[in-house]
Amino acid sequence: PASMRPRRPTFEKKEMSAHGKKDDAAVQVEAEQWVRWDTDEKTRAELEAILAAKNFEELHARFDSRIAFGTAGLRGRMEAGASRMNQLTVLQASQGLCMYLLEQIPETATRGICVGYDGRHNSTAFAEITAAVFISKGVPVYLFSEIVPTPFVPYCTTQKKCVAGIMVTASHNPKDDNGYKVYWSNGSQIVSPHDKGIADKIAANLEPWTLDLEAMRKREHALLRDPTEEIPKAYYEEIVAKCSYRSAEANAASQLKSVFTPMHGVGGKWAIEAYKAFGLPAFVPVKEQFEPDPEFSTVKFPNPEEGKGALALATKTAIENGVTVILANDPDSDRLAVAELDANNEIRVFTGNEIGIMLGAWVWTQYQKKNPDVDPSKCCVLNTTVSSKMLSAMAKKEGLYYEETLTGFKWLGNKAEALMNEGYRFLFAFEEAIGFMVGDVCLDKDGIRGLVVFAELASQLKDEGRTLAQYLESLYAKYGYFATNNRYFFCYEPSKQVEIFEKHLRCRASPSEPANYPKKFGRFAVKNVRDLTTGFDSCQSDNKAILPVSTSSQMITFYFENGCVLTLRGSGTEPKLKYYAELSGSDGEAVTKELAELIDAVVAEGLLPEKYGLVAPTD
């Protein structure tokens, strides 16, 4: 429900009551101004009805705070009001971004921007508004003429040397949401301080500019360019050159049969073309989910990361067609899920960490075969701090350079660029949330190139008579067994999440007091703590964290005496409190059992789900 969604901080202070809400008069004035500015008949009528009913509870929900622009851009529910995604908030965000770019990068008016969009409700309109804003200031726009995978936008941004790229998508969020993702000129998601600078410019440019939206709808303007034919062609050529390690003939001769679902999103058409580019045998599509559908009709959550439930139709299709390998993209095709059926048609959905190590090992071994004289120490692999340390173990054994970053591909993409600038050969990066970046084609997670690279790996294994599960076990035998347990709770009230972290994980009454972190959970002793909200890290001699610190988000990592590493964090895009835990050892069964016991203790003593109304996912 809208009333249960987390509130976001405001850009500017208004008249506020003692309880932190704006006065009724203040929200009414803002809502009336909104109606005058809004040109969307649907959302204008929606807000007019709320005003007529004098529904101040709803007005406060819509106007007490403004939808925040962060490093992930914008994401929220599509409704009228300042705290929601709609044509006016998109217009205002675009105006602020345009002014920021013109100020920061003098060549903006000649280099231009790229704009893409997915198949969600309103995505096309939001993209056209974005293009119209920039064109109104004389900035050229590369606007795709049809829905495209998210990775095409950062790829186009670098190919066309644009100053920025914008993708209108809410990724795998529910159908009522939409979003606005921003890439910098390097094709990686923005990082601070750009988010703050853009937010300030949005706040200073709220009044709508005069736009020629009709020209955008007709796709007729001298400053409008359509990259829809050129960019995909160049993209496929580059992923074949950089990411394919078998010949097209070998791929075509493979006996591999795979099932693919784009989860009602944009990926279907583009996945077919990617398979053709690699010479892979055509996949079996999940027909019910293959065409773009903004209603996501067959799934409760259009997120393949949710597991067996989300992949139910793909599993049915696989069984009906005698297929063992299931591959899936999320709706904007920047993530990849993988599952496998055994001889009894029992499904195993691989975790992001398992897919990550399989891809990482494949990319390295194949790159080394192709480049036998390469110095491993000048090749780098990356993952995030909440992702499996098995990649680190692989890097150590193989002599590769490895680093971890904060959660999110904005950190991985920018770190990859920094290392390449230092002379490293970037090979692979991943995060446990099924995001994978193979090579430097574009500096963001990419479900399309991840899809065909994994299909090529699966083809090789099929030719060798091995399953994915057997391949994974061989990696455990080589690099050690790593058990992971990643999960989340829905936490719809941000204040409760803060209270959990402060009272039960930092063990203090208020943020002004020193933290007193738990010494143990259950029978498991804590050895060290890293708190990236406060900057404390007992692993370091000066107790100061090396990774970037953010006081606006909650994130604590506990290092246990038994070697377990467990991180708890609040999601920046969804109402979730997440935990990520990993324990390594030689006995997989014993390690998995011990990790489960440790997780139970942390949840019971540190999160208190019943007390705080935390809701576990059903799948």
Side-chain angles (χ1 to χ4, degrees):
S3 60
M4 298 178 73
R5 292 178 178 270
R7 301 287 169 81
R8 300 181 184 272
T10 61
F11 289 137
E12 65 277 344
K13 293 183 179 178
K14 296 281 185 179
E15 298 87 343
M16 307 293 280
S17 72
H19 301 292
K21 293 201 309 182
K22 295 176 183 175
D23 295 334
D24 287 354
V27 294
Q28 181 168 339
V29 167
E30 283 197 46
E32 289 170 348
Q33 177 65 79
W34 189 273
V35 168
R36 289 192 292 273
W37 282 348
D38 193 3
T39 59
D40 183 339
E41 292 181 6
K42 181 180 178 182
T43 50
R44 190 171 65 245
E46 178 188 332
L47 197 52
E48 285 174 337
I50 296 170
L51 279 165
K54 296 190 182 301
N55 185 346
F56 282 99
E57 181 180 356
E58 194 61 31
L59 287 175
H60 281 291
R62 307 291 181 96
F63 289 96
D64 269 349
S65 62
R66 191 175 173 78
I67 188 168
F69 189 97
T71 53
L74 302 173
R75 194 179 293 188
R77 189 178 179 88
M78 289 182 284
E79 289 179 324
S83 64
R84 305 294 197 258
M85 281 292 296
N86 49 62
Q87 290 189 16
L88 187 50
T89 49
V90 167
L91 182 149
Q92 292 168 333
S94 299
Q95 291 178 170
L97 176 59
C98 181
M99 295 306 291
Y100 183 77
L101 289 170
L102 286 168
E103 182 182 276
Q104 294 288 316
I105 306 177
E107 316 89 64
T108 294
T110 54
R111 290 169 57 186
I113 66 159
C114 171
V115 179
Y117 51 96
D118 67 10
R120 286 177 178 266
H121 292 299
N122 298 312
S123 286
T124 304
F126 291 169
E128 290 169 349
I129 288 168
T130 301
V133 165
F134 279 85
I135 282 176
S136 76
K137 294 297 182 184
V139 178
V141 177
Y142 293 88
L143 174 64
F144 285 94
S145 56
E146 61 180 288
I147 59 175
V148 292
T150 288
F152 282 15
V153 170
Y155 185 73
C156 179
T157 299
T158 54
Q159 285 289 298
K160 292 299 182 181
K161 296 181 171 55
C162 297
V163 296
I166 300 155
M167 179 68 187
V168 178
T169 181
S171 189
H172 53 269
N173 274 38
K175 67 175 184 177
D176 294 324
D177 289 0
N178 215 324
Y180 183 100
K181 181 184 283 191
V182 178
Y183 295 91
W184 201 243
S185 58
N186 65 350
S188 189
Q189 293 177 52
I190 60 168
V191 293
S192 294
H194 293 311
D195 57 333
K196 176 65 165 57
I198 295 166
D200 289 343
K201 288 295 184 184
I202 293 171
N205 290 274
L206 295 178
E207 185 170 350
W209 301 343
T210 301
L211 306 178
D212 187 357
L213 287 171
E214 191 60 28
M216 299 306 105
R217 296 185 186 110
K218 291 180 178 179
R219 298 295 202 270
E220 295 175 353
H221 197 285
L223 291 175
L224 202 59
R225 291 87 190 261
D226 182 3
T228 310
E229 281 193 29
E230 179 186 354
I231 289 302
K233 182 175 182 294
Y235 171 85
Y236 293 129
E237 289 174 356
E238 190 164 348
I239 63 172
V240 169
K242 290 186 174 181
C243 305
S244 177
Y245 293 104
R246 283 162 50 101
S247 68
E249 293 74 22
N251 282 340
S254 173
Q255 297 303 303
L256 176 75
K257 292 176 67 178
S258 58
V259 160
F260 172 70
T261 174
M263 203 64 69
H264 294 298
V266 303
K269 166 184 175 178
W270 308 107
I272 289 173
E273 294 303 315
Y275 262 60
K276 287 179 181 177
F278 269 55
L280 292 160
F283 54 72
V284 179
V286 179
K287 293 179 181 178
E288 301 92 332
Q289 298 175 335
F290 203 71
E291 295 302 320
D293 173 12
E295 289 294 310
F296 304 112
S297 307
T298 66
V299 288
K300 186 175 181 181
F301 298 106
N303 183 2
E305 192 184 0
E306 296 293 331
K308 294 180 181 179
L311 296 175
L313 278 174
T315 304
K316 178 174 177 287
T317 302
I319 292 172
E320 289 172 351
N321 288 273
V323 175
T324 58
V325 175
I326 296 170
L327 303 168
N329 281 164
D330 65 343
D332 69 326
S333 288
D334 66 352
R335 298 173 193 251
L336 172 71
V338 178
E340 184 175 53
L341 296 177
D342 65 14
N344 299 315
N345 284 333
E346 291 295 322
I347 187 173
R348 175 175 180 176
V349 181
F350 294 101
T351 67
N353 285 323
E354 291 170 335
I355 302 167
I357 195 62
M358 285 191 278
L359 275 174
W362 167 258
V363 169
W364 163 239
T365 55
Q366 299 307 306
Y367 182 79
Q368 190 179 38
K369 283 180 183 177
K370 203 170 182 179
N371 303 274
D373 298 326
V374 69
D375 178 359
S377 69
K378 297 303 291 181
C379 297
C380 63
V381 292
L382 310 167
N383 66 1
T384 60
T385 188
V386 298
S387 301
S388 176
K389 299 302 177 284
M390 189 171 176
L391 187 69
S392 173
M394 183 195 90
K396 185 175 181 180
K397 189 174 183 68
E398 302 292 343
L400 301 167
Y401 182 78
Y402 164 84
E403 273 196 48
E404 69 173 9
T405 72
L406 283 181
T407 307
F409 261 85
K410 63 192 177 197
W411 301 107
L412 290 170
N414 284 290
K415 175 56 71 173
E417 182 189 41
L419 289 171
M420 286 188 289
N421 289 339
E422 293 176 20
Y424 286 93
R425 172 67 182 177
F426 170 72
L427 297 178
F428 177 68
F430 84 92
E431 63 178 358
E432 55 76 39
I434 60 173
F436 312 99
M437 184 167 73
V438 180
D440 62 353
V441 176
C442 63
L443 297 178
D444 196 23
K445 57 184 177 288
D446 184 345
I448 297 293
R449 76 181 189 263
L451 169 71
V452 285
V453 171
F454 200 95
E456 190 172 78
L457 158 62
S459 295
Q460 178 70 30
L461 294 174
K462 181 72 173 178
D463 293 350
E464 296 172 359
R466 291 199 288 167
T467 65
L468 298 178
Q470 288 169 339
Y471 175 59
L472 182 60
E473 285 301 318
S474 73
L475 298 179
Y476 286 141
K478 188 174 184 180
Y479 302 123
Y481 189 88
F482 288 72
T484 58
N485 191 328
N486 301 342
R487 199 69 165 158
Y488 63 85
F489 287 98
F490 289 106
C491 182
Y492 295 103
E493 296 182 45
S495 61
K496 287 187 175 180
Q497 187 176 111
V498 172
E499 185 175 331
I500 290 169
F501 275 85
E502 289 295 341
K503 285 191 174 182
H504 305 289
L505 299 176
R506 296 189 183 96
C507 304
R508 61 186 182 184
S510 76
S512 61
E513 298 178 4
N516 184 25
Y517 302 100
K519 301 295 188 293
K520 66 175 185 175
F521 291 95
R523 66 182 180 89
F524 300 100
V526 174
K527 182 179 182 180
N528 283 300
V529 178
R530 181 182 65 194
D531 190 337
L532 293 179
T533 304
T534 66
F536 175 80
D537 186 350
S538 63
C539 297
Q540 308 304 320
S541 58
D542 59 0
N543 288 338
K544 292 181 180 179
I546 296 173
L547 289 175
V549 174
S550 173
T551 57
S552 63
S553 59
Q554 300 292 336
M555 185 171 182
I556 299 177
T557 300
F558 293 98
Y559 300 86
F560 290 84
E561 291 285 357
N562 68 350
C564 175
V565 179
L566 182 145
T567 297
L568 300 111
R569 61 180 283 264
S571 171
T573 57
E574 300 169 290
K576 294 178 179 179
L577 196 167
K578 300 183 175 183
Y579 62 80
Y580 313 78
E582 183 170 58
L583 182 63
S584 63
S586 56
D587 185 332
E589 186 176 342
V591 168
T592 301
K593 183 178 179 181
E594 183 171 340
L595 183 61
E597 183 186 349
L598 187 151
I599 288 290
D600 287 344
V602 172
V603 169
E605 299 173 19
L607 302 186
L608 289 76
E610 290 186 6
K611 177 179 178 179
Y612 289 102
L614 304 182
V615 181
T618 54
D619 186 0

